[in-house]
C-alpha cells in the first residue's frame, strides 16, 4: 500500500494471495452492515436497519442482545466504550468508577487485586452508554432496541459453540465458589451444576424483566430506581461496597479520541483510562521500519511487531490509569521523537527486560455502519463472566473491572475510591484526512492492543481485506520474552523466533488470540468481516 493513499480492497485478489485464508469471503453492501461475535446478535442489528433505524440503533440492539446470547463475555453489568463517525469522530467513555466506600488499605496490603467478589466490582456503565448513544443519534424508540434481546431471554436460544466452550471453561472456576454472594450467580448460569452444551436452549426470564425495566425507564431504573435499589441492597447484605449514591452519580463521558498517523492513515483509539494508546505507541515505533519489504508471514515481520508491542506495554504499564491520576500525558506518550528513541532499542534478538524511558509517574466487540454513520463499540464484564456477583431476581451479572487496579503505592493506577481503573476494552477506527475508512476491534483483555496492531499492519502494510486481515495467523506477547503463537503459524517462523531468543509457545486455543470484527468503507461500499475464531458473522444490506 502506498504511503498517503487508500486504494480500497480487491477482495478476490487478496484472498487468492493468501490461500490459507480462503475459508470465508468478506460481506459487502451499501445501505448498512453489522459484524459481531454472535449471529443472533447480528440479526438483532439487521432487524433495526430493516425497521428504518440507523447504525446506532443497530449497534445498540446488537449490544443489548449480546448481554443475553453471549453472557460469558458481557452483561447488563458491563462497561462500554464507543467511537462514532458522523462526519467527525466522537468518543464515549462509559466505564464506571470504584465505590466511594471502597476499603482501599485492605487492597494495598495485598500483592494484587482479587479476581472475583465484591472487591472487584465498579459501577457498571454499559446501560449509560446505550442511553447516551441513543439520545444523541438514534432514530428508533429506545424501547424497540430491546425487543430482540427480551425475546431471546424469555423464549430461550441455542447456545453457540464458542460460547459453550467459554461457559465450560468458566465452570471450573465458578461452580467451586463458596459464599452467599455467589449463589444467585450459580443458580442462573449453572442451575444444574454444569455449563450448557452447544445447542442446548438457555433462557433467563429475570434478564428479560430487567431489560424491559431499563427500556421503559430510559435506563433510570438501573441507576436511580428499582434496579439500583436491588443492587445496593444485595451489596449491603453480602459485604459489597456499591451503594445507591455510587449508582446515582455515575455518568458516561464524551471524550476526544486520540490518534497517530501511520503511513498516511490516521489510527484512532479511546484515550486513557483505556490502553488503546499501546497500539498507537507501537505503530509509532514500527513506522520507522519498512515492514512491507518482508512477507506478512516472516520472522522479520513478526519480530519487529512483537518488539514494538513490548516497548509500548512498558509505557502503558507504568503510566496509564484514570486520566485524573496520570502524571504523563498521552501527548508525551505519543511523541514521534520519543518513539524514534525507543525504536533504537530493537535489535535482531528479543528484548528481555524493558522499562519506560519517560519520568516515573471477556469482552464483546461489534461494528455497525450505514450510509452516514459508522460505529465502533465494545462492552465487557472483563474476565469472562466478571465478578461472580449476580443481583438476585435481575440477571445482572456485575463486572470485575476493579481487578485492573494496581496495588503499587504511588502508581497512577493505584486502587482508590471513586476512581476509574485501567481498562482493557478498546474500540478502534481508521480515517484518511476528513473521510472515514472504518471501524475495527479485537476482543481479549491484553490481547486487544496487540490485535489492533496486527489488524492495522495487515490492512496498511500488507493490503489485506477485512476478512483476511481478521483470519490471518496471530501472535501474542505475554511477558518478558514469552510469546504465544497460533498453531497455524509456520513452524519455520516459530523456530526462527526461538533463535532470536523469543520463548515460543504454540496453542490451538482460538480464544487466546482475541476475536475481532471489522467494517470498512470504500467508494460508498461497506466491506464487513467477522472473526473466524468466534461464532459470529457479518451481514450487510
Amino acid at each position: 500500500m502506498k504511503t498517503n493513499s487508500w486504494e480500497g480492497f480487491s477482495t478476490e485478489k487478496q484472498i487468492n494471495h493468501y490461500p490459507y485464508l480462503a475459508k470465508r469471503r468478506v460481506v459487502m453492501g451499501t445501505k448498512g452492515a453489522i459484524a459481531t461475535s454472535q449471529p443472533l446478535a447480528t440479526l438483532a442489528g439487521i432487524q433495526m436497519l430493516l425497521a428504518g433505524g440507523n447504525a446506532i440503533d443497530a449497534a445498540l440492539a446488537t449490544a443489548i442482545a449480546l448481554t443475553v446470547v453471549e453472557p460469558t463475555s458481557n452483561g447488563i453489568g458491563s462497561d462500554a466504550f464507543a467511537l462514532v463517525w458522523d462526519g467527525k469522530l466522537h468518543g464515549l467513555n462509559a466505564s464506571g468508577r470504584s465505590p466511594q466506600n471502597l476499603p482501599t488499605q485492605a487492597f494495598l496490603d495485598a500483592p494484587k487485586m482479587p479476581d472475583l467478589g465484591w472487591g472487584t466490582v465498579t459501577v457498571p456503565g454499559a446501560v449509560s452508554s446505550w442511553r447516551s448513544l441513543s439520545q444523541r443519534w438514534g432514530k428508533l424508540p429506545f424501547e424497540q432496541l430491546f425487543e430482540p434481546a427480551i425475546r431471546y431471554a424469555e423464549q430461550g436460544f441455542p447456545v453457540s459453540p464458542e460460547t459453550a466452550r467459554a461457559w465450560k471453561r468458566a465452570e471450573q472456576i465458578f461452580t467451586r465458589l463458596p459464599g452467599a454472594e455467589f449463589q444467585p450467580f450459580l443458580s442462573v448460569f449453572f442451575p444444574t451444576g454444569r455449563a450448557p452444551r452447544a445447542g442446548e436452549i438457555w433462557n433467563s426470564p429475570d434478564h428479560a424483566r430487567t431489560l424491559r425495566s431499563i427500556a421503559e425507564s430510559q435506563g433510570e431504573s438501573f441507576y436511580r430506581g428499582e434496579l439500583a435499589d436491588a443492587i445496593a441492597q444485595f451489596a449491603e447484605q453480602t459485604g459489597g461496597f456499591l451503594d445507591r449514591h455510587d449508582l446515582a452519580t455515575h455518568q458516561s463521558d464524551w471524550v476526544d479520541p486520540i490518534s497517530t498517523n501511520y503511513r498516511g492513515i490516521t489510527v484512532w483509539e479511546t484515550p486513557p483510562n483505556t490502553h488503546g494508546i499501546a497500539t498507537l505507541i507501537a505503530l509509532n515505533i514500527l513506522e520507522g521500519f519498512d515492514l512491507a519489504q518482508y512477507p506478512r508471514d516472516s520472522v522479520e515481520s513478526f519480530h519487529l511487531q512483537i518488539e514494538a508491542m513490548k516497548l509500548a506495554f512498558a509505557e502503558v504499564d507504568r503510566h496509564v490509569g484514570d486520566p485524573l491520576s496520570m502524571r504523563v500525558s498521552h501527548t508525551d506518550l505519543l511523541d514521534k521523537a520519543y518513539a524514534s528513541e525507543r525504536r533504537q532499542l530493537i535489535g535482531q534478538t528479543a528484548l528481555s527486560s524493558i522499562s519506560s524511558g519517560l519520568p516515573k509517574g471477556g469482552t464483546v466487540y461489534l461494528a455497525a455502519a450505514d450510509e452516514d454513520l459508522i460505529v465502533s463499540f465494545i462492552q465487557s464484564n472483563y474476565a469472562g463472566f466478571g465478578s461472580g456477583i449476580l443481583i438476585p431476581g435481575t440477571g445482572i451479572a456485575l463486572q470485575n473491572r476493579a481487578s485492573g487496579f494496581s496495588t503499587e503505592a504511588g502508581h497512577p493506577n493505584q486502587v482508590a475510591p471513586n476512581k476509574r481503573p485501567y481498562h482493557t476494552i478498546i474500540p478502534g477506527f481508521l480515517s484518511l484526512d476528513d473521510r472515514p475508512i472504518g471501524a475495527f476491534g479485537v476482543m481479549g483483555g491484553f490481547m486487544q492492543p496487540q490485535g489492533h496492531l496486527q489488524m492495522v499492519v495487515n490492512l496498511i502494510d500488507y493490503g489485506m481485506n477485512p476478512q483476511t486481515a481478521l483470519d490471518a495467523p496471530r501472535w501474542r506477547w505475554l511477558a518478558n520474552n514469552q510469546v504465544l503463537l497460533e498453531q497455524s503459524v509456520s513452524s519455520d517462523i516459530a523456530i526462527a523466533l526461538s533463535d532470536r531468543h523469543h520463548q515460543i509457545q504454540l496453542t490451538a486455543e482460538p480464544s487466546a488470540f482475541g476475536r475481532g470484527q471489522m467494517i470498512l468503507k470504500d467508494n460508498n461500499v461497506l466491506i464487513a468481516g467477522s472473526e473466524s475464531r468466534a461464532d459470529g458473522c457479518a451481514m450487510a444490506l
Side-chain angles (χ1 to χ4, degrees), residues 23-333:
K23 293 178 291 185
R24 294 196 293 174
R25 303 298 200 259
V26 291
V27 173
M28 293 182 284
T30 58
K31 301 301 182 183
I34 308 287
T36 81
S37 55
Q38 218 285 348
L40 294 175
T42 302
L43 184 59
I46 289 293
Q47 288 172 346
M48 297 305 117
L49 292 176
L50 293 173
N54 60 19
I56 287 290
D57 298 316
L60 293 179
T62 300
I64 296 163
L66 282 165
T67 69
V68 179
V69 298
E70 199 175 316
T72 54
S73 302
N74 76 128
I76 303 171
S78 289
D79 271 353
F81 292 84
L83 293 171
V84 180
W85 181 279
D86 68 352
K88 63 174 291 188
L89 196 62
H90 308 268
L92 181 67
N93 180 337
S95 64
R97 293 172 172 81
S98 55
Q100 61 180 346
N101 294 320
L102 189 71
T104 304
Q105 193 57 49
F107 298 108
L108 290 175
D109 292 337
K112 63 183 288 291
M113 292 294 292
D115 297 319
L116 299 168
W118 277 113
T120 69
V121 175
T122 55
V123 177
V127 172
S128 69
S129 77
W130 304 342
R131 179 173 60 186
S132 295
L133 291 167
S134 179
Q135 287 177 344
R136 184 161 183 174
W137 285 288
K139 289 176 62 179
L140 298 177
F142 192 59
E143 296 91 331
Q144 190 171 346
L145 310 181
F146 289 74
E147 291 175 358
I150 291 171
R151 184 174 66 254
Y152 295 145
E154 286 181 337
Q155 298 177 12
F157 64 94
V159 176
S160 53
E162 285 302 317
T163 298
R165 292 181 73 242
W167 217 317
K168 181 64 176 178
R169 289 194 299 270
E171 179 184 303
Q172 304 303 313
I173 300 170
F174 290 101
T175 56
R176 300 175 182 178
L177 293 176
E181 68 270 32
F182 299 115
Q183 295 313 302
F185 178 91
L186 296 174
S187 67
V188 169
F189 292 114
F190 302 93
T192 63
R194 66 165 178 85
R197 300 184 178 97
E200 285 192 79
I201 303 299
W202 184 81
N203 69 342
S204 178
D206 290 343
H207 201 128
R209 284 192 294 272
T210 292
L211 290 176
R212 188 168 281 112
S213 173
I214 293 170
E216 293 172 350
S217 69
Q218 302 287 306
E220 278 298 296
S221 66
F222 190 87
Y223 294 106
R224 297 174 183 84
E226 58 178 351
L227 297 174
D229 290 341
I231 295 169
Q233 184 177 12
F234 189 61
E236 186 176 359
Q237 291 171 349
T238 56
F241 311 112
L242 274 185
D243 61 22
R244 291 168 179 81
H245 180 267
D246 294 320
L247 293 160
T249 55
H250 168 80
Q251 64 176 25
S252 54
D253 296 327
W254 296 104
V255 296
D256 293 326
I258 58 175
S259 67
T260 195
N261 185 288
Y262 182 70
R263 311 197 197 283
I265 303 300
T266 303
V267 183
W268 298 90
E269 300 281 353
T270 48
N273 54 314
T274 77
H275 64 179
I277 194 170
T279 300
L280 306 182
I281 296 170
L283 288 171
N284 283 347
I285 294 169
L286 270 184
E287 191 175 38
F289 299 103
D290 182 9
L291 210 59
Q293 71 174 304
Y294 307 114
R296 191 267 170 201
D297 294 328
S298 65
V299 64
E300 292 86 1
S301 183
F302 275 49
H303 172 73
L304 291 172
Q305 292 178 63
I306 292 166
E307 294 299 282
M309 199 73 246
K310 287 159 67 172
L311 288 165
F313 267 123
E315 304 296 347
V316 169
D317 291 346
R318 182 67 255 165
H319 299 296
V320 168
D322 189 316
L324 297 177
S325 300
M326 289 174 59
R327 294 184 291 277
V328 172
S329 71
H330 72 263
T331 53
D332 291 331
L333 291 168

Side-chain angles (χ1 to χ4, degrees), residues 231-534:
I231 295 169
Q233 184 177 12
F234 189 61
E236 186 176 359
Q237 291 171 349
T238 56
F241 311 112
L242 274 185
D243 61 22
R244 291 168 179 81
H245 180 267
D246 294 320
L247 293 160
T249 55
H250 168 80
Q251 64 176 25
S252 54
D253 296 327
W254 296 104
V255 296
D256 293 326
I258 58 175
S259 67
T260 195
N261 185 288
Y262 182 70
R263 311 197 197 283
I265 303 300
T266 303
V267 183
W268 298 90
E269 300 281 353
T270 48
N273 54 314
T274 77
H275 64 179
I277 194 170
T279 300
L280 306 182
I281 296 170
L283 288 171
N284 283 347
I285 294 169
L286 270 184
E287 191 175 38
F289 299 103
D290 182 9
L291 210 59
Q293 71 174 304
Y294 307 114
R296 191 267 170 201
D297 294 328
S298 65
V299 64
E300 292 86 1
S301 183
F302 275 49
H303 172 73
L304 291 172
Q305 292 178 63
I306 292 166
E307 294 299 282
M309 199 73 246
K310 287 159 67 172
L311 288 165
F313 267 123
E315 304 296 347
V316 169
D317 291 346
R318 182 67 255 165
H319 299 296
V320 168
D322 189 316
L324 297 177
S325 300
M326 289 174 59
R327 294 184 291 277
V328 172
S329 71
H330 72 263
T331 53
D332 291 331
L333 291 168
L334 293 177
D335 182 72
K336 293 262 187 174
Y338 180 59
S340 180
E341 292 177 22
R342 300 293 276 175
R343 189 180 304 127
Q344 306 311 309
L345 297 174
I346 297 179
Q348 290 299 305
T349 58
L351 291 162
S352 58
S353 179
I354 310 169
S355 59
S356 170
L358 290 170
K360 301 301 181 187
T363 302
V364 292
Y365 172 81
L366 64 96
D370 60 27
E371 295 168 290
D372 302 310
L373 298 167
I374 304 177
V375 187
S376 186
F377 183 92
I378 195 163
Q379 67 186 19
S380 171
N381 272 7
Y382 194 28
F385 276 106
S387 64
I389 305 293
L390 184 141
I391 309 306
T394 69
I396 300 171
L398 296 174
Q399 63 188 18
N400 58 344
R401 279 292 164 188
S403 61
F405 278 123
S406 171
T407 60
E408 178 186 340
H411 194 284
N413 188 42
Q414 177 184 329
V415 60
N418 196 34
K419 184 177 182 179
R420 282 177 163 143
Y422 178 109
H423 235 287
T424 59
I425 61 174
I426 49 174
F429 203 90
L430 301 172
S431 68
L432 174 61
D433 300 327
D434 60 349
R435 61 188 176 94
I437 294 174
F440 71 100
V442 176
M443 306 161 256
F446 289 91
M447 178 64 199
Q448 293 190 45
Q450 304 186 60
H452 280 212
L453 176 72
Q454 291 173 72
M455 293 307 99
V456 172
V457 165
N458 288 348
L459 291 168
I460 296 176
D461 290 294
Y462 295 111
M464 300 172 81
N465 70 59
Q467 190 62 58
T468 57
L470 289 163
D471 287 343
R474 292 183 192 158
W475 52 265
R476 178 175 182 169
W477 176 71
L478 299 174
N480 301 319
N481 287 10
Q482 300 167 38
V483 176
L484 203 59
L485 293 182
E486 203 159 18
Q487 205 166 48
S488 54
V489 174
S490 164
S491 60
D492 291 343
I493 294 176
I495 292 169
L497 286 171
S498 295
D499 290 342
R500 294 185 181 220
H501 303 166
H502 296 280
Q503 297 174 9
I504 299 300
Q505 303 173 48
L506 292 173
T507 180
E509 176 52 60
S511 64
F513 299 96
R515 301 172 302 147
Q517 321 293 329
M518 194 182 303
I519 299 177
L520 304 187
K521 191 171 188 177
D522 184 46
N523 294 324
N524 296 319
V525 174
L526 300 171
I527 308 167
S530 181
E531 179 67 72
S532 61
R533 297 165 186 85

